Amino acid sequence: MIRVQSSRTVVRRLLQRRYQSKSSFGIALATASRLVTPKWMLNNPVSLVSTEMNTLAKNIMGLIGSGHPTLNRVTSYYFEAEGKKVRPMLVLLLSRALSAIPVEKRNNIKIDFTDFETAPVGKDPLQKFLSSKPVENFSPLQIIHGIQSMNPLTKEASPIPEKQFDDERGILPKQRRLAEIVEMIHTASLLHDDVIDHADTRRGRPSGNVVFTNKMAVLAGDFLLGRATVSISRLKNPEVVELMSSSIANLVEGEFMQLHNVAMDSGNNDLLTEVTPVGKLNLRTHDYKVPVLPPQSTLASETLTREQQQEIINNAFRYYLHKSYLKTASLISKSCRATAILSGAQPNVIESCYNFGKNLGLCFQLVDDMLDFTISAKELGKPAGADLKLGISTAPVLYAWMEDPSLGPLIQRHFNQQGDIQQVLKSVELHNGVDKTKKLAENYRDMALKCLRDVLPESDSRSALEFLTNSILTRRK
């Protein structure tokens, strides 16, 4: 215990001297990067930044490369920029932390003997199965890639020395591939989100839709998701395939929820047009909206009792958190669960890893929504105040609404009248909406930390995960 804490303190002090201008979130990322970086890469002068994240991006390009040069440029555009890459970092760190659990206690996995040329015997099967690589392909390459027998970029992919990396770092090949898949899915969602939100910057430079047009950005996002699903299937684990595929669907569901904005949609939302079903299909109702008061209500304070107003706000908050889970926490939580499954961990460990990712993801989104009110566009690397401009009510606004009923009509009309945004900003400041949001984020952070400590042995990697989780509240981009 003392050794781990002292080593962590030394590393933190060294990094604080080196990164004095950075937030503790930046320091945490730098510290975590070193824990998932082979020594040979730390001394690699070719790498722009000596972390495994750079090799991860290169490996991804080997997975997604197309025979069309323009498509390659669009899909690689966001990978070229310096991003946080928190999601693959979490997968890699969690993989290392899980490796601290003895192999004999990570036997909750069904061995697929088709992974081996000859049936293994003795105690070897479990170890060999856990350390087996994703399959290269199921179908012949000429079928997968079309007319050409092999994707041109796939030939250029140069894998890192796997034995040295995996044996020394405790990260299994399939877990490393999972980290790459997670970043592919996330990047595809960024391409799509920037089109939907009419964003003009991302990671401090012009967004993909601005550089390449909306159509190309959407198609590139679709292509990334297609390549990701191929890679998911090659992990040869049905539950992991289900988890990661459903996380893609969750991203779309969350975006649809955001189009509705909040649960008390007036029915006049200009983003959506209600179409009467023709009755040819018996469609099961599956609406995420929670029960609210009749839409003809104006939500003005004089037309509602205190209890009615509180009911609507509570419904709106539940709707907001559900949307936040689907848009942000789903990919993080399901990738953490998949990481534990690939390690062969027991069910209680798998469940705690999932809950860790869920709570951390919600904390991350709450902080993101806070930054929209507190950080300039230059610091944030993307437009600040974008949510209000899009008519989206996040936690700071909902907390202010609890104290200021006059915000109800503004929220209902999506801040589309002159002076609405200014009034909301004043109310959020007056009623401490940002501080209350930070308090909620702290609660989710604490739950995430508890999940880690309940099931994972002490290790440098667990300490790095704790450090990273704690520092999310201090990030500035």
Side-chain angles (χ1 to χ4, degrees):
M1 179 69 175
I2 296 175
R3 184 189 62 79
V4 172
Q5 288 183 337
S6 61
S7 66
R8 182 177 61 180
T9 302
V10 170
V11 171
R12 184 186 295 178
R13 286 175 180 169
L14 289 172
L15 285 168
Q16 283 174 337
R17 294 193 192 108
R18 183 177 178 183
Y19 299 96
Q20 288 180 351
S21 62
K22 292 188 177 183
S23 67
S24 60
F25 185 67
I27 297 171
L29 285 176
T31 306
S33 295
R34 290 182 173 273
L35 284 175
V36 293
T37 306
K39 292 179 181 178
W40 69 270
M41 270 212 65
L42 291 173
N43 301 320
N44 182 2
V46 179
S47 180
L48 293 176
V49 183
S50 296
T51 69
E52 199 276 335
M53 295 298 103
N54 284 328
T55 298
L56 179 134
K58 293 173 185 176
N59 289 346
I60 289 175
M61 292 315 301
L63 294 173
I64 67 175
S66 161
H68 197 290
T70 304
L71 182 55
N72 287 330
R73 286 179 56 210
V74 185
T75 53
S76 65
Y77 182 67
Y78 284 161
F79 293 114
E80 295 170 353
E82 182 181 351
K84 298 182 289 289
K85 296 183 175 64
V86 173
R87 291 155 187 83
M89 179 80 72
L90 288 170
V91 170
L92 294 168
L93 281 174
L94 186 58
S95 298
R96 286 202 63 189
L98 286 162
S99 71
I101 302 174
V103 174
E104 58 270 17
K105 293 183 179 180
R106 290 188 283 125
N107 57 1
N108 183 43
I109 196 163
K110 295 180 180 178
I111 297 177
D112 185 349
F113 288 98
T114 60
D115 274 345
F116 308 102
E117 294 181 3
T118 59
V121 295
K123 294 184 179 180
D124 292 335
L126 178 61
Q127 184 65 56
K128 288 185 177 180
F129 182 75
L130 289 175
S131 60
S132 65
K133 303 176 187 176
V135 295
E136 293 184 2
N137 53 280
F138 294 106
S139 302
L141 290 177
Q142 64 267 26
I143 293 177
I144 294 175
H145 297 297
I147 296 175
Q148 294 183 344
S149 60
M150 181 171 282
N151 186 304
L153 287 186
T154 305
K155 295 179 180 179
E156 300 173 11
S158 53
I160 62 176
E162 292 183 1
K163 189 177 188 305
Q164 177 184 0
F165 185 86
D166 294 327
D167 286 355
E168 293 184 4
R169 317 305 290 187
I171 301 173
L172 303 172
K174 290 182 180 179
Q175 290 172 328
R176 181 151 38 86
R177 179 54 48 82
L178 177 64
E180 296 161 5
I181 290 168
V182 169
E183 186 66 5
M184 289 164 67
I185 295 172
H186 174 60
T187 302
S189 74
L190 297 184
L191 285 163
H192 288 161
D193 283 353
D194 286 345
V195 172
I196 294 169
D197 297 341
H198 309 289
D200 52 14
T201 58
R202 170 70 68 177
R203 293 174 177 170
R205 64 177 188 165
S207 56
N209 51 305
V210 169
V211 176
F212 300 104
T213 75
N214 284 344
K215 288 183 178 180
M216 286 191 180
V218 170
L219 290 172
D222 292 345
F223 183 78
L224 271 175
L225 292 177
R227 284 283 195 250
T229 54
V230 170
S231 297
I232 293 169
S233 69
R234 290 173 177 174
L235 296 177
K236 295 189 69 176
N237 187 299
E239 187 174 357
V240 171
V241 171
E242 180 182 60
L243 284 168
M244 301 312 299
S245 299
S246 66
S247 73
I248 297 174
N250 288 158
L251 289 170
V252 178
E253 290 176 301
E255 198 61 51
F256 264 83
M257 289 184 73
Q258 186 158 288
L259 288 176
H260 275 286
N261 187 18
V262 290
M264 50 78 183
D265 190 350
S266 64
N268 296 319
N269 192 336
D270 58 1
L271 294 173
L272 300 170
T273 301
E274 296 294 334
V275 179
T276 303
V278 297
K280 291 184 177 180
L281 295 175
N282 182 20
L283 297 177
R284 181 168 61 112
T285 301
H286 188 62
D287 195 343
Y288 281 114
K289 286 188 180 182
V290 291
V292 295
L293 295 179
Q296 60 266 26
S297 169
T298 63
L299 302 185
S301 58
E302 64 272 14
T303 63
L304 296 173
T305 66
R306 180 69 179 175
E307 291 74 19
Q308 288 174 323
Q309 178 193 335
Q310 193 61 48
E311 179 189 358
I312 289 179
I313 296 174
N314 290 340
N315 286 336
F317 230 114
R318 284 194 291 269
Y319 189 91
Y320 161 76
L321 290 174
H322 192 171
K323 178 201 72 175
S324 298
Y325 170 78
L326 293 172
K327 280 180 61 67
T328 303
S330 172
L331 180 59
I332 295 175
S333 62
K334 291 182 177 179
S335 61
C336 287
R337 186 179 182 92
T339 302
I341 290 170
L342 291 174
S343 77
Q346 293 297 315
N348 66 312
V349 178
I350 293 172
E351 195 65 28
S352 286
C353 288
Y354 169 76
N355 286 320
F356 161 71
K358 178 181 178 180
N359 290 315
L360 182 138
L362 288 171
C363 174
F364 195 94
Q365 184 59 53
L366 286 164
V367 172
D368 206 54
D369 292 341
M370 285 166 46
L371 294 178
D372 205 46
F373 286 84
T374 60
I375 302 297
S376 67
K378 183 177 181 180
E379 286 182 280
L380 202 55
K382 58 184 179 181
D387 289 335
L388 291 178
K389 293 173 185 175
L390 290 170
I392 299 170
S393 299
T394 55
V397 176
L398 297 178
Y399 274 122
W401 184 20
M402 289 180 179
E403 306 296 330
D404 183 1
S406 68
L407 293 185
L410 281 65
I411 293 172
Q412 191 171 31
R413 63 177 179 249
H414 312 300
F415 321 122
N416 62 6
Q417 293 186 13
Q418 188 172 2
D420 282 358
I421 292 179
Q422 289 73 17
Q423 183 178 340
V424 170
L425 290 173
K426 289 179 181 178
S427 185
V428 168
E429 183 177 3
L430 178 64
H431 298 292
N432 301 314
V434 172
D435 290 339
K436 292 174 182 176
T437 301
K438 183 179 181 181
K439 202 74 175 176
L440 182 61
E442 289 172 349
N443 290 338
Y444 281 110
R445 175 204 61 191
D446 293 343
M447 289 188 287
L449 289 171
K450 184 178 185 303
C451 291
L452 283 178
R453 293 163 181 164
D454 281 348
V455 296
L456 295 178
E458 286 190 23
S459 66
D460 288 343
S461 298
R462 197 192 81 174
S463 296
L465 283 170
E466 293 173 1
F467 188 23
L468 192 61
T469 301
N470 276 311
S471 65
I472 284 176
L473 287 161
T474 69
R475 70 186 182 92
R476 299 182 65 81
K477 60 170 65 177

